Amino acid sequence: MVAIRQSVELLEKNKPQQARAKRTYESILAAAAELLVEVGVERISTNLVAERAGITVPALYRYFPNKYAVLNALGAALMDRQNEIFQQWFDHYLALGDLQLLLDNVYELMKRTYDVTSEQVGGLEVVQALRAVGPLQEVRLASHRLVAGQLASIVAEVLGRPVDDLMITQARLTIDASYAIVEMALEDNSLSTEMLLQEGARMMRLYWQSFMEYVDEGAYSSPTTSSA
Amino acid sequence: MVAIRQSVELLEKNKPQQARAKRTYESILAAAAELLVEVGVERISTNLVAERAGITVPALYRYFPNKYAVLNALGAALMDRQNEIFQQWFDHYLALGDLQLLLDNVYELMKRTYDVTSEQVGGLEVVQALRAVGPLQEVRLASHRLVAGQLASIVAEVLGRPVDDLMITQARLTIDASYAIVEMALEDNSLSTEMLLQEGARMMRLYWQSFMEYVDEGAYSSPTTSSA
DNA sequence: TGTACATCAGTGAACGCGCGTTCACTGATGTAC
DNA sequence: TGTACATCAGTGAACGCGCGTTCACTGATGTAC
Protein backbone atom coordinates (compact mmCIF):
# COMPACT_ATOMS: atom_id res chain seq x y z
CA MET A 1 0.00 0.00 0.00
CA VAL A 2 1.30 3.37 -1.02
CA ALA A 3 0.77 6.94 0.11
CA ILE A 4 -1.82 8.83 -1.90
CA ARG A 5 -0.29 11.58 -3.92
CA GLN A 6 -1.37 15.17 -3.44
CA SER A 7 -2.69 14.98 0.10
CA VAL A 8 0.27 16.70 1.72
CA GLU A 9 0.04 19.61 4.11
CA LEU A 10 1.69 22.61 2.50
CA LEU A 11 0.67 25.36 4.89
CA GLU A 12 3.28 26.87 7.14
CA LYS A 13 2.91 26.44 10.90
CA ASN A 14 4.12 29.19 13.23
CA LYS A 15 4.93 32.42 11.49
CA PRO A 16 8.25 33.83 12.64
CA GLN A 17 7.67 36.84 14.88
CA GLN A 18 10.94 37.98 16.33
CA ALA A 19 13.89 39.18 14.27
CA ARG A 20 15.92 36.09 15.10
CA ALA A 21 13.08 33.88 13.91
CA LYS A 22 12.81 35.76 10.64
CA ARG A 23 16.48 35.20 10.00
CA THR A 24 16.03 31.50 10.71
CA TYR A 25 13.06 31.31 8.39
CA GLU A 26 14.96 33.00 5.59
CA SER A 27 18.01 30.83 6.12
CA ILE A 28 15.80 27.75 5.74
CA LEU A 29 14.55 28.98 2.37
CA ALA A 30 18.04 29.94 1.27
CA ALA A 31 19.43 26.56 2.30
CA ALA A 32 16.64 24.74 0.49
CA ALA A 33 17.33 26.72 -2.69
CA GLU A 34 21.04 25.88 -2.53
CA LEU A 35 20.38 22.21 -1.94
CA LEU A 36 17.87 22.06 -4.75
CA VAL A 37 20.75 23.01 -7.03
CA GLU A 38 23.32 20.75 -5.38
CA VAL A 39 21.42 17.52 -4.75
CA GLY A 40 18.14 17.91 -6.61
CA VAL A 41 14.47 17.59 -5.62
CA GLU A 42 14.63 13.85 -5.29
CA ARG A 43 17.42 13.98 -2.69
CA ILE A 44 16.61 17.08 -0.68
CA SER A 45 15.51 16.40 2.93
CA THR A 46 14.58 18.30 6.04
CA ASN A 47 17.74 17.01 7.72
CA LEU A 48 19.91 18.34 4.93
CA VAL A 49 18.14 21.69 4.85
CA ALA A 50 18.37 22.19 8.61
CA GLU A 51 22.05 21.31 8.63
CA ARG A 52 22.80 23.74 5.80
CA ALA A 53 20.72 26.47 7.46
CA GLY A 54 22.77 26.07 10.64
CA ILE A 55 19.85 25.06 12.83
CA THR A 56 18.57 21.81 14.27
CA VAL A 57 15.76 19.88 12.63
CA PRO A 58 13.08 20.65 15.22
CA ALA A 59 13.66 24.35 14.57
CA LEU A 60 12.71 23.78 10.94
CA TYR A 61 9.60 21.90 12.04
CA ARG A 62 8.58 24.93 14.02
CA TYR A 63 7.85 26.71 10.73
CA PHE A 64 7.21 23.98 8.19
CA PRO A 65 5.31 20.71 8.60
CA ASN A 66 7.45 18.91 6.00
CA LYS A 67 9.78 19.39 3.08
CA TYR A 68 6.99 20.00 0.59
CA ALA A 69 5.92 23.05 2.57
CA VAL A 70 9.45 24.42 2.27
CA LEU A 71 9.48 23.89 -1.50
CA ASN A 72 6.00 25.31 -1.68
CA ALA A 73 7.10 28.52 0.06
CA LEU A 74 10.09 28.76 -2.25
CA GLY A 75 7.94 28.19 -5.32
CA ALA A 76 5.18 30.56 -4.26
CA ALA A 77 7.72 33.32 -3.69
CA LEU A 78 9.14 32.86 -7.17
CA MET A 79 5.71 32.71 -8.80
CA ASP A 80 4.80 35.92 -6.96
CA ARG A 81 7.84 37.66 -8.32
CA GLN A 82 7.09 36.46 -11.84
CA ASN A 83 3.47 37.54 -11.54
CA GLU A 84 4.51 40.94 -10.32
CA ILE A 85 6.78 41.44 -13.30
CA PHE A 86 3.97 40.55 -15.63
CA GLN A 87 1.67 42.91 -13.74
CA GLN A 88 4.09 45.84 -14.01
CA TRP A 89 4.76 45.22 -17.68
CA PHE A 90 1.09 44.78 -18.47
CA ASP A 91 -0.12 47.85 -16.57
CA HIS A 92 2.68 50.00 -17.90
CA TYR A 93 2.21 49.38 -21.60
CA LEU A 94 -1.55 49.15 -21.38
CA ALA A 95 -1.71 52.58 -19.79
CA LEU A 96 0.45 53.99 -22.57
CA GLY A 97 -1.53 52.80 -25.52
CA ASP A 98 -3.05 49.88 -27.32
CA LEU A 99 -2.35 46.17 -27.65
CA GLN A 100 0.27 46.73 -30.33
CA LEU A 101 2.49 48.35 -27.74
CA LEU A 102 2.26 45.21 -25.61
CA LEU A 103 3.18 43.08 -28.60
CA ASP A 104 6.13 45.29 -29.42
CA ASN A 105 7.52 44.73 -25.95
CA VAL A 106 7.09 41.03 -25.37
CA TYR A 107 10.85 40.62 -25.42
CA GLU A 108 11.17 42.93 -22.45
CA LEU A 109 8.70 40.84 -20.48
CA MET A 110 10.49 37.62 -21.29
CA LYS A 111 13.88 39.08 -20.50
CA ARG A 112 12.73 40.40 -17.15
CA THR A 113 11.13 37.06 -16.32
CA TYR A 114 14.36 35.36 -17.32
CA ASP A 115 16.36 37.71 -15.12
CA VAL A 116 14.22 37.33 -12.02
CA THR A 117 14.37 33.53 -12.31
CA SER A 118 18.05 33.52 -13.05
CA GLU A 119 18.88 35.82 -10.12
CA GLN A 120 17.04 33.62 -7.65
CA VAL A 121 19.38 30.88 -6.43
CA GLY A 122 17.94 27.63 -7.72
CA GLY A 123 15.33 29.51 -9.71
CA LEU A 124 15.27 27.01 -12.55
CA GLU A 125 15.32 24.07 -10.17
CA VAL A 126 12.38 25.52 -8.26
CA VAL A 127 10.33 25.87 -11.43
CA GLN A 128 11.20 22.33 -12.48
CA ALA A 129 10.28 21.03 -9.04
CA LEU A 130 6.91 22.78 -9.28
CA ARG A 131 6.33 20.91 -12.54
CA ALA A 132 7.51 17.50 -11.39
CA VAL A 133 6.37 17.22 -7.77
CA GLY A 134 2.69 16.33 -7.51
CA PRO A 135 1.71 18.31 -4.42
CA LEU A 136 3.31 21.47 -5.82
CA GLN A 137 1.81 21.50 -9.30
CA GLU A 138 -1.13 23.67 -8.36
CA VAL A 139 1.19 26.54 -7.42
CA ARG A 140 2.46 26.91 -10.94
CA LEU A 141 -0.89 26.25 -12.60
CA ALA A 142 -2.62 28.81 -10.40
CA SER A 143 -0.03 31.41 -11.27
CA HIS A 144 -0.31 30.76 -15.00
CA ARG A 145 -4.10 30.76 -14.88
CA LEU A 146 -4.14 34.05 -13.04
CA VAL A 147 -1.86 35.80 -15.49
CA ALA A 148 -3.54 34.27 -18.53
CA GLY A 149 -6.92 35.34 -17.20
CA GLN A 150 -5.86 38.96 -17.06
CA LEU A 151 -4.39 38.81 -20.52
CA ALA A 152 -7.52 37.20 -21.90
CA SER A 153 -9.93 39.72 -20.43
CA ILE A 154 -8.04 42.75 -21.68
CA VAL A 155 -7.44 41.33 -25.13
CA ALA A 156 -11.06 40.27 -25.37
CA GLU A 157 -12.18 43.76 -24.49
CA VAL A 158 -9.89 45.47 -26.96
CA LEU A 159 -10.64 43.09 -29.82
CA GLY A 160 -14.33 42.98 -29.03
CA ARG A 161 -14.24 39.23 -28.62
CA PRO A 162 -15.85 37.27 -25.80
CA VAL A 163 -13.77 35.69 -23.02
CA ASP A 164 -14.69 32.20 -24.07
CA ASP A 165 -12.75 28.94 -23.94
CA LEU A 166 -10.89 29.82 -27.10
CA MET A 167 -9.73 33.16 -25.74
CA ILE A 168 -8.65 31.54 -22.47
CA THR A 169 -6.80 28.83 -24.36
CA GLN A 170 -4.99 31.34 -26.54
CA ALA A 171 -3.93 33.36 -23.51
CA ARG A 172 -2.75 30.27 -21.60
CA LEU A 173 -0.89 29.08 -24.65
CA THR A 174 0.95 32.37 -24.87
CA ILE A 175 1.80 32.46 -21.19
CA ASP A 176 2.87 28.83 -20.93
CA ALA A 177 4.88 28.91 -24.14
CA SER A 178 6.65 32.05 -22.95
CA TYR A 179 7.57 30.54 -19.63
CA ALA A 180 8.67 27.34 -21.38
CA ILE A 181 11.00 29.38 -23.58
CA VAL A 182 12.44 31.14 -20.54
CA GLU A 183 13.04 27.75 -18.92
CA MET A 184 14.66 26.51 -22.09
CA ALA A 185 17.01 29.47 -22.09
CA LEU A 186 17.96 28.67 -18.50
CA GLU A 187 18.51 24.97 -19.01
CA ASP A 188 20.39 24.80 -22.30
CA ASN A 189 23.55 26.86 -22.17
CA SER A 190 24.52 25.93 -25.70
CA LEU A 191 21.98 28.46 -26.99
CA SER A 192 22.22 32.23 -26.90
CA THR A 193 19.73 33.54 -24.35
CA GLU A 194 19.35 36.80 -26.20
CA MET A 195 18.61 35.11 -29.51
CA LEU A 196 16.24 32.62 -27.96
CA LEU A 197 14.19 35.24 -26.15
CA GLN A 198 14.12 37.54 -29.17
CA GLU A 199 12.85 34.73 -31.35
CA GLY A 200 10.40 33.60 -28.68
CA ALA A 201 9.03 37.11 -28.42
CA ARG A 202 8.69 37.22 -32.18
CA MET A 203 6.77 33.96 -32.14
CA MET A 204 4.29 35.38 -29.62
CA ARG A 205 4.00 38.62 -31.56
CA LEU A 206 3.16 36.83 -34.80
CA TYR A 207 0.57 34.76 -33.01
CA TRP A 208 -1.26 37.76 -31.57
CA GLN A 209 -0.92 39.84 -34.66
CA SER A 210 -2.83 37.20 -36.54
CA PHE A 211 -5.86 38.00 -34.38
CA MET A 212 -5.55 41.71 -34.84
CA GLU A 213 -5.31 41.48 -38.59
CA TYR A 214 -8.16 39.09 -39.06
CA VAL A 215 -10.39 40.37 -36.30
CA ASP A 216 -14.09 40.25 -37.24
CA GLU A 217 -13.34 38.34 -40.38
CA GLY A 218 -13.92 34.95 -38.78
CA ALA A 219 -10.62 33.69 -40.12
CA TYR A 220 -10.31 31.21 -37.31
CA SER A 221 -12.11 27.97 -37.98
CA SER A 222 -13.40 26.21 -34.89
CA PRO A 223 -10.95 23.57 -33.67
CA THR A 224 -13.74 21.06 -33.21
CA THR A 225 -14.20 21.18 -36.97
CA SER A 226 -11.44 18.73 -37.72
CA SER A 227 -9.87 18.65 -41.14
CA ALA A 228 -10.08 15.44 -43.13
CA MET B 1 29.62 17.53 2.36
CA VAL B 2 27.13 16.60 -0.29
CA ALA B 3 27.09 14.23 -3.26
CA ILE B 4 28.01 15.86 -6.54
CA ARG B 5 25.08 16.06 -8.89
CA GLN B 6 25.22 14.45 -12.30
CA SER B 7 27.89 11.82 -11.66
CA VAL B 8 25.49 8.91 -11.51
CA GLU B 9 25.85 5.70 -13.46
CA LEU B 10 22.93 5.41 -15.86
CA LEU B 11 24.03 2.48 -17.98
CA GLU B 12 22.27 -0.81 -17.59
CA LYS B 13 24.22 -3.78 -16.30
CA ASN B 14 23.36 -7.26 -17.53
CA LYS B 15 21.05 -7.34 -20.51
CA PRO B 16 18.21 -9.80 -20.04
CA GLN B 17 18.79 -12.84 -22.24
CA GLN B 18 16.23 -15.46 -21.50
CA ALA B 19 12.47 -14.98 -21.91
CA ARG B 20 11.94 -14.99 -18.15
CA ALA B 21 14.53 -12.27 -17.73
CA LYS B 22 12.91 -10.14 -20.41
CA ARG B 23 9.61 -10.34 -18.59
CA THR B 24 11.32 -9.32 -15.37
CA TYR B 25 13.02 -6.41 -17.07
CA GLU B 26 9.76 -5.21 -18.56
CA SER B 27 7.92 -5.60 -15.28
CA ILE B 28 10.54 -3.39 -13.62
CA LEU B 29 9.92 -0.63 -16.15
CA ALA B 30 6.16 -1.04 -15.89
CA ALA B 31 6.30 -0.92 -12.09
CA ALA B 32 8.49 2.18 -12.16
CA ALA B 33 6.05 3.92 -14.51
CA GLU B 34 3.11 3.12 -12.24
CA LEU B 35 4.94 4.31 -9.15
CA LEU B 36 6.03 7.49 -10.83
CA VAL B 37 2.33 8.29 -11.14
CA GLU B 38 1.39 7.11 -7.67
CA VAL B 39 4.18 8.40 -5.45
CA GLY B 40 6.18 10.75 -7.66
CA VAL B 41 9.86 11.04 -8.58
CA GLU B 42 10.88 12.25 -5.16
CA ARG B 43 9.46 9.17 -3.40
CA ILE B 44 10.16 6.39 -5.87
CA SER B 45 12.78 3.84 -4.69
CA THR B 46 14.34 0.62 -5.84
CA ASN B 47 12.62 -1.18 -2.94
CA LEU B 48 9.22 0.09 -4.01
CA VAL B 49 9.82 -0.74 -7.67
CA ALA B 50 11.00 -4.28 -6.93
CA GLU B 51 8.05 -4.94 -4.67
CA ARG B 52 5.58 -3.70 -7.28
CA ALA B 53 7.31 -5.69 -10.01
CA GLY B 54 6.91 -8.84 -7.93
CA ILE B 55 10.63 -9.53 -7.62
CA THR B 56 13.22 -9.07 -4.91
CA VAL B 57 15.54 -6.09 -4.85
CA PRO B 58 18.73 -7.93 -5.88
CA ALA B 59 16.94 -9.05 -9.04
CA LEU B 60 16.45 -5.38 -9.95
CA TYR B 61 20.13 -4.72 -9.28
CA ARG B 62 20.98 -7.40 -11.76
CA TYR B 63 19.79 -5.11 -14.55
CA PHE B 64 20.06 -1.59 -13.16
CA PRO B 65 22.78 -0.08 -10.97
CA ASN B 66 20.35 2.34 -9.28
CA LYS B 67 16.99 4.03 -9.59
CA TYR B 68 18.26 6.69 -11.97
CA ALA B 69 19.16 4.01 -14.47
CA VAL B 70 15.57 2.74 -14.32
CA LEU B 71 14.17 6.21 -14.92
CA ASN B 72 16.74 6.72 -17.63
CA ALA B 73 15.59 3.59 -19.46
CA LEU B 74 11.98 4.66 -19.11
CA GLY B 75 12.77 8.16 -20.37
CA ALA B 76 14.95 7.00 -23.24
CA ALA B 77 12.22 4.67 -24.44
CA LEU B 78 9.68 7.49 -24.48
CA MET B 79 12.07 9.89 -26.20
CA ASP B 80 12.72 7.22 -28.83
CA ARG B 81 9.04 6.84 -29.48
CA GLN B 82 8.60 10.59 -29.77
CA ASN B 83 11.58 10.87 -32.08
CA GLU B 84 10.24 8.13 -34.26
CA ILE B 85 6.90 9.87 -34.63
CA PHE B 86 8.67 13.03 -35.67
CA GLN B 87 10.77 11.05 -38.10
CA GLN B 88 7.78 9.40 -39.74
CA TRP B 89 5.87 12.66 -40.00
CA PHE B 90 8.86 14.52 -41.33
CA ASP B 91 9.84 11.94 -43.93
CA HIS B 92 6.27 11.43 -45.04
CA TYR B 93 5.37 15.03 -45.79
CA LEU B 94 8.79 15.96 -47.03
CA ALA B 95 8.62 13.18 -49.62
CA LEU B 96 5.26 14.44 -50.78
CA GLY B 97 6.16 18.03 -51.40
CA ASP B 98 7.52 21.24 -49.99
CA LEU B 99 7.77 22.85 -46.57
CA GLN B 100 4.24 24.22 -46.77
CA LEU B 101 2.92 20.69 -46.52
CA LEU B 102 4.84 20.21 -43.29
CA LEU B 103 3.41 23.43 -41.92
CA ASP B 104 -0.10 22.43 -42.87
CA ASN B 105 0.25 19.26 -40.83
CA VAL B 106 1.88 20.42 -37.62
CA TYR B 107 -1.31 19.62 -35.77
CA GLU B 108 -1.03 16.00 -36.79
CA LEU B 109 2.50 15.83 -35.40
CA MET B 110 1.48 17.38 -32.12
CA LYS B 111 -1.54 15.16 -31.78
CA ARG B 112 0.45 12.03 -32.42
CA THR B 113 3.09 13.12 -29.93
CA TYR B 114 0.34 13.81 -27.44
CA ASP B 115 -1.16 10.38 -28.04
CA VAL B 116 2.06 8.44 -27.67
CA THR B 117 2.85 10.24 -24.41
CA SER B 118 -0.65 9.88 -23.10
CA GLU B 119 -0.81 6.16 -23.93
CA GLN B 120 2.39 5.42 -22.05
CA VAL B 121 1.60 4.87 -18.37
CA GLY B 122 3.23 7.73 -16.50
CA GLY B 123 4.18 9.40 -19.78
CA LEU B 124 3.77 12.91 -18.45
CA GLU B 125 5.50 12.05 -15.19
CA VAL B 126 8.43 10.59 -17.09
CA VAL B 127 8.85 13.77 -19.14
CA GLN B 128 8.63 15.90 -16.03
CA ALA B 129 11.17 13.71 -14.28
CA LEU B 130 13.54 14.12 -17.23
CA ARG B 131 13.24 17.86 -16.78
CA ALA B 132 13.61 17.97 -13.02
CA VAL B 133 16.15 15.27 -12.19
CA GLY B 134 19.71 16.41 -12.83
CA PRO B 135 21.29 13.18 -14.06
CA LEU B 136 18.46 12.65 -16.56
CA GLN B 137 18.34 16.05 -18.20
CA GLU B 138 20.69 15.13 -21.00
CA VAL B 139 18.27 12.49 -22.30
CA ARG B 140 15.62 15.05 -23.10
CA LEU B 141 18.06 17.67 -24.36
CA ALA B 142 19.76 15.18 -26.66
CA SER B 143 16.43 14.13 -28.12
CA HIS B 144 15.34 17.71 -28.75
CA ARG B 145 18.69 18.64 -30.24
CA LEU B 146 18.58 15.70 -32.59
CA VAL B 147 15.11 16.47 -33.90
CA ALA B 148 15.77 20.20 -34.10
CA GLY B 149 18.96 19.53 -36.02
CA GLN B 150 17.10 17.61 -38.71
CA LEU B 151 14.45 20.27 -38.97
CA ALA B 152 17.08 23.00 -39.22
CA SER B 153 19.06 21.34 -41.99
CA ILE B 154 16.08 20.65 -44.21
CA VAL B 155 14.57 24.08 -43.72
CA ALA B 156 17.92 25.71 -44.34
CA GLU B 157 18.29 23.79 -47.57
CA VAL B 158 14.82 24.62 -48.85
CA LEU B 159 14.97 28.28 -47.90
CA GLY B 160 18.54 28.66 -49.08
CA ARG B 161 19.65 29.82 -45.66
CA PRO B 162 22.75 28.64 -43.78
CA VAL B 163 22.48 26.31 -40.78
CA ASP B 164 23.83 28.93 -38.41
CA ASP B 165 23.08 29.62 -34.75
CA LEU B 166 19.93 31.48 -35.67
CA MET B 167 18.56 28.61 -37.71
CA ILE B 168 19.38 26.16 -34.91
CA THR B 169 17.73 28.41 -32.37
CA GLN B 170 14.58 28.76 -34.45
CA ALA B 171 14.34 25.01 -34.89
CA ARG B 172 14.92 24.29 -31.20
CA LEU B 173 12.39 26.94 -30.27
CA THR B 174 9.80 25.25 -32.45
CA ILE B 175 10.52 21.80 -31.12
CA ASP B 176 10.68 22.78 -27.46
CA ALA B 177 7.60 24.99 -27.64
CA SER B 178 5.68 22.18 -29.32
CA TYR B 179 6.64 19.67 -26.66
CA ALA B 180 5.85 22.21 -23.95
CA ILE B 181 2.36 22.64 -25.41
CA VAL B 182 1.86 18.87 -25.46
CA GLU B 183 2.94 18.71 -21.81
CA MET B 184 0.57 21.54 -21.00
CA ALA B 185 -2.30 19.67 -22.61
CA LEU B 186 -1.44 16.64 -20.50
CA GLU B 187 -1.12 18.46 -17.20
CA ASP B 188 -4.05 20.87 -17.26
CA ASN B 189 -7.31 19.04 -17.74
CA SER B 190 -9.34 22.22 -17.56
CA LEU B 191 -8.32 22.99 -21.14
CA SER B 192 -9.53 21.28 -24.29
CA THR B 193 -6.69 19.20 -25.70
CA GLU B 194 -7.99 19.56 -29.22
CA MET B 195 -8.24 23.33 -29.01
CA LEU B 196 -4.86 23.66 -27.36
CA LEU B 197 -3.07 21.56 -29.94
CA GLN B 198 -4.86 23.25 -32.85
CA GLU B 199 -3.84 26.66 -31.55
CA GLY B 200 -0.33 25.47 -30.79
CA ALA B 201 0.01 24.18 -34.32
CA ARG B 202 -1.26 27.49 -35.64
CA MET B 203 1.36 29.32 -33.57
CA MET B 204 4.14 27.23 -35.09
CA ARG B 205 2.73 27.64 -38.59
CA LEU B 206 2.64 31.43 -38.30
CA TYR B 207 6.20 31.44 -37.02
CA TRP B 208 7.56 29.45 -39.95
CA GLN B 209 5.43 31.18 -42.52
CA SER B 210 7.07 34.43 -41.53
CA PHE B 211 10.37 33.06 -42.83
CA MET B 212 8.91 31.82 -46.06
CA GLU B 213 7.26 35.13 -46.86
CA TYR B 214 10.21 37.28 -46.07
CA VAL B 215 12.93 34.96 -47.25
CA ASP B 216 15.86 36.81 -48.85
CA GLU B 217 14.45 40.15 -47.76
CA GLY B 218 16.51 40.22 -44.57
CA ALA B 219 13.40 40.97 -42.57
CA TYR B 220 14.94 39.55 -39.44
CA SER B 221 17.09 42.04 -37.57
CA SER B 222 19.98 40.51 -35.67
CA PRO B 223 19.02 39.81 -32.06
CA THR B 224 22.26 41.28 -30.79
CA THR B 225 21.10 44.62 -32.18
CA SER B 226 19.01 45.50 -29.16
CA SER B 227 16.30 48.11 -29.47
CA ALA B 228 16.56 51.23 -27.33
C1' DT C 1 15.73 51.43 35.83
C1' DG C 2 14.94 46.82 37.77
C1' DT C 3 12.82 42.58 38.10
C1' DA C 4 9.36 39.03 37.53
C1' DC C 5 6.83 36.69 34.27
C1' DA C 6 4.95 35.23 29.73
C1' DT C 7 5.82 34.00 25.39
C1' DC C 8 8.77 32.95 21.57
C1' DA C 9 12.73 30.41 19.59
C1' DG C 10 15.72 26.78 19.31
C1' DT C 11 18.11 22.22 21.33
C1' DG C 12 19.56 17.32 22.41
C1' DA C 13 18.30 12.97 22.25
C1' DA C 14 15.63 9.47 20.80
C1' DC C 15 12.30 6.44 17.92
C1' DG C 16 11.15 3.24 14.28
C1' DC C 17 11.37 2.85 9.35
C1' DG C 18 12.60 2.44 4.60
C1' DC C 19 16.59 3.33 1.98
C1' DG C 20 20.49 1.50 -1.15
C1' DT C 21 23.52 -2.11 -1.56
C1' DT C 22 25.96 -6.60 -1.14
C1' DC C 23 26.67 -11.44 0.03
C1' DA C 24 26.62 -16.37 -0.59
C1' DC C 25 23.27 -19.02 -2.11
C1' DT C 26 19.28 -21.87 -4.73
C1' DG C 27 16.68 -22.63 -8.70
C1' DA C 28 15.72 -22.32 -13.89
C1' DT C 29 17.14 -22.62 -18.49
C1' DG C 30 19.92 -23.91 -22.28
C1' DT C 31 23.20 -27.08 -24.59
C1' DA C 32 26.77 -30.68 -25.68
C1' DC C 33 27.16 -35.26 -26.43
C1' DT D 1 15.78 -39.04 -25.46
C1' DG D 2 18.62 -38.66 -21.36
C1' DT D 3 21.84 -36.65 -18.50
C1' DA D 4 25.70 -33.81 -17.07
C1' DC D 5 27.27 -29.34 -17.01
C1' DA D 6 27.53 -24.29 -17.79
C1' DT D 7 25.40 -20.24 -17.57
C1' DC D 8 21.60 -17.28 -16.53
C1' DA D 9 18.09 -15.60 -13.24
C1' DG D 10 16.39 -14.68 -8.95
C1' DT D 11 16.39 -15.24 -3.45
C1' DG D 12 16.91 -14.55 1.69
C1' DA D 13 19.15 -12.27 4.91
C1' DA D 14 21.85 -8.83 6.46
C1' DC D 15 24.39 -4.14 6.91
C1' DG D 16 24.79 0.66 8.18
C1' DC D 17 22.68 5.02 7.22
C1' DG D 18 19.81 8.96 6.73
C1' DC D 19 15.05 9.76 6.84
C1' DG D 20 10.86 12.19 9.11
C1' DT D 21 9.04 13.19 13.35
C1' DT D 22 8.31 14.01 18.37
C1' DC D 23 9.53 14.78 23.19
C1' DA D 24 10.67 17.35 27.29
C1' DC D 25 13.67 20.70 27.77
C1' DT D 26 16.84 25.27 27.94
C1' DG D 27 17.67 29.75 26.43
C1' DA D 28 16.28 34.40 24.34
C1' DT D 29 13.24 38.11 23.89
C1' DG D 30 9.59 41.11 25.06
C1' DT D 31 6.60 43.46 28.50
C1' DA D 32 3.98 44.82 32.79
C1' DC D 33 4.52 47.23 36.75
Side-chain angles (χ1 to χ4, degrees):
Chain A
M1 205 70 349
V2 129
I4 292 126
R5 228 185 165 183
Q6 289 283 3
S7 60
V8 176
E9 182 56 57
L10 296 175
L11 294 179
E12 295 167 26
K13 292 154 88 177
N14 305 296
K15 279 265 154 198
Q17 303 191 19
Q18 303 178 354
R20 179 171 62 137
K22 277 168 189 153
R23 281 196 303 275
T24 299
Y25 182 93
E26 290 304 325
S27 69
I28 291 171
L29 292 184
E34 288 173 25
L35 287 167
L36 220 40
V37 178
E38 292 176 26
V39 307
V41 224
E42 74 290 358
R43 282 236 165 101
I44 203 168
S45 69
T46 48
N47 287 19
L48 231 38
V49 171
E51 188 194 4
R52 173 65 60 99
I55 55 169
T56 59
V57 180
L60 185 151
Y61 277 90
R62 183 177 178 83
Y63 304 107
F64 302 96
N66 51 56
K67 70 167 174 176
Y68 294 101
V70 178
L71 295 178
N72 184 61
L74 217 46
L78 182 56
M79 291 300 104
D80 283 350
R81 256 170 272 148
Q82 288 187 348
N83 287 356
E84 204 192 338
I85 279 178
F86 177 84
Q87 208 64 253
Q88 286 174 3
W89 174 84
F90 196 59
D91 293 346
H92 178 69
Y93 287 111
L94 211 61
L96 286 183
D98 59 6
L99 281 189
Q100 188 58 50
L101 202 56
L102 283 180
L103 291 183
D104 289 343
N105 289 281
V106 171
Y107 172 75
E108 184 194 318
L109 173 61
M110 290 179 71
K111 182 63 165 69
R112 290 189 64 199
T113 304
Y114 175 90
D115 287 341
V116 81
T117 310
S118 159
E119 280 157 16
Q120 157 75 52
V121 174
L124 174 60
E125 286 78 6
V126 168
V127 175
Q128 288 169 336
L130 292 185
R131 269 188 194 267
V133 177
L136 304 178
Q137 285 170 357
E138 271 305 310
V139 176
R140 188 173 141 275
L141 283 181
S143 165
H144 287 204
R145 284 191 188 123
L146 178 77
V147 169
Q150 293 183 268
L151 181 60
S153 52
I154 292 295
V155 169
E157 189 184 318
V158 172
L159 295 186
R161 283 173 53 188
V163 183
D164 53 11
D165 283 356
L166 178 59
M167 187 77 246
I168 293 282
T169 300
Q170 288 165 339
R172 268 300 296 281
L173 190 62
T174 312
I175 297 299
D176 276 60
S178 299
Y179 281 124
I181 293 164
V182 168
E183 273 180 68
M184 185 189 170
L186 287 162
E187 74 194 350
D188 192 339
N189 296 317
S190 75
L191 298 165
S192 150
T193 298
E194 172 84 12
M195 198 181 269
L196 206 43
L197 297 185
Q198 288 280 10
E199 283 297 308
R202 201 160 70 79
M203 184 183 274
M204 299 308 135
R205 206 159 54 226
L206 288 164
Y207 183 60
W208 284 96
Q209 267 165 357
S210 77
F211 302 133
M212 298 177 72
E213 287 163 12
Y214 296 108
V215 68
D216 285 347
E217 287 185 32
Y220 177 79
S221 62
S222 166
T224 53
T225 311
S226 59
S227 54
Chain B
M1 203 75 339
V2 128
I4 292 126
R5 227 186 166 181
Q6 290 283 3
S7 59
V8 176
E9 182 57 58
L10 296 175
L11 294 179
E12 295 166 28
K13 292 154 89 176
N14 305 296
K15 280 264 155 200
Q17 304 190 19
Q18 303 178 353
R20 180 172 61 135
K22 277 168 189 151
R23 281 196 303 274
T24 300
Y25 181 92
E26 290 304 324
S27 69
I28 291 171
L29 292 185
E34 289 173 24
L35 288 167
L36 220 40
V37 178
E38 292 176 26
V39 307
V41 224
E42 74 289 357
R43 283 238 165 99
I44 203 169
S45 69
T46 48
N47 287 20
L48 230 38
V49 172
E51 188 194 5
R52 173 65 61 97
I55 56 168
T56 58
V57 181
L60 185 151
Y61 277 89
R62 183 177 178 83
Y63 305 105
F64 302 97
N66 52 55
K67 70 167 174 176
Y68 294 101
V70 178
L71 296 177
N72 184 62
L74 216 46
L78 182 55
M79 292 299 104
D80 282 351
R81 257 170 272 148
Q82 289 187 347
N83 287 356
E84 205 193 336
I85 280 177
F86 178 84
Q87 209 65 253
Q88 286 175 3
W89 173 84
F90 195 58
D91 292 346
H92 178 69
Y93 287 111
L94 211 61
L96 286 184
D98 59 4
L99 282 188
Q100 187 59 47
L101 203 56
L102 283 180
L103 291 184
D104 290 343
N105 290 281
V106 171
Y107 171 76
E108 183 193 320
L109 173 61
M110 290 179 71
K111 182 63 165 69
R112 290 189 62 198
T113 305
Y114 174 91
D115 287 341
V116 80
T117 310
S118 157
E119 280 157 17
Q120 156 76 53
V121 174
L124 174 60
E125 287 77 7
V126 168
V127 175
Q128 288 170 337
L130 292 185
R131 270 187 193 268
V133 177
L136 304 178
Q137 286 171 356
E138 270 306 310
V139 177
R140 188 173 142 275
L141 283 181
S143 163
H144 288 204
R145 284 192 189 122
L146 177 76
V147 170
Q150 293 182 269
L151 180 60
S153 52
I154 292 296
V155 169
E157 190 184 317
V158 172
L159 295 186
R161 284 174 50 187
V163 183
D164 54 11
D165 283 356
L166 179 58
M167 188 76 247
I168 294 281
T169 300
Q170 288 165 338
R172 268 299 296 283
L173 191 61
T174 311
I175 298 299
D176 276 59
S178 300
Y179 281 125
I181 293 165
V182 169
E183 274 180 68
M184 185 188 168
L186 287 162
E187 74 194 350
D188 192 339
N189 296 318
S190 75
L191 298 165
S192 150
T193 298
E194 172 84 12
M195 198 182 269
L196 205 43
L197 297 185
Q198 287 281 11
E199 283 296 308
R202 201 161 68 78
M203 184 184 274
M204 298 308 135
R205 206 158 55 227
L206 288 164
Y207 183 60
W208 284 96
Q209 268 166 354
S210 77
F211 301 134
M212 298 177 72
E213 288 163 12
Y214 296 109
V215 68
D216 285 348
E217 286 185 31
Y220 177 77
S221 62
S222 166
T224 53
T225 311
S226 58
S227 54

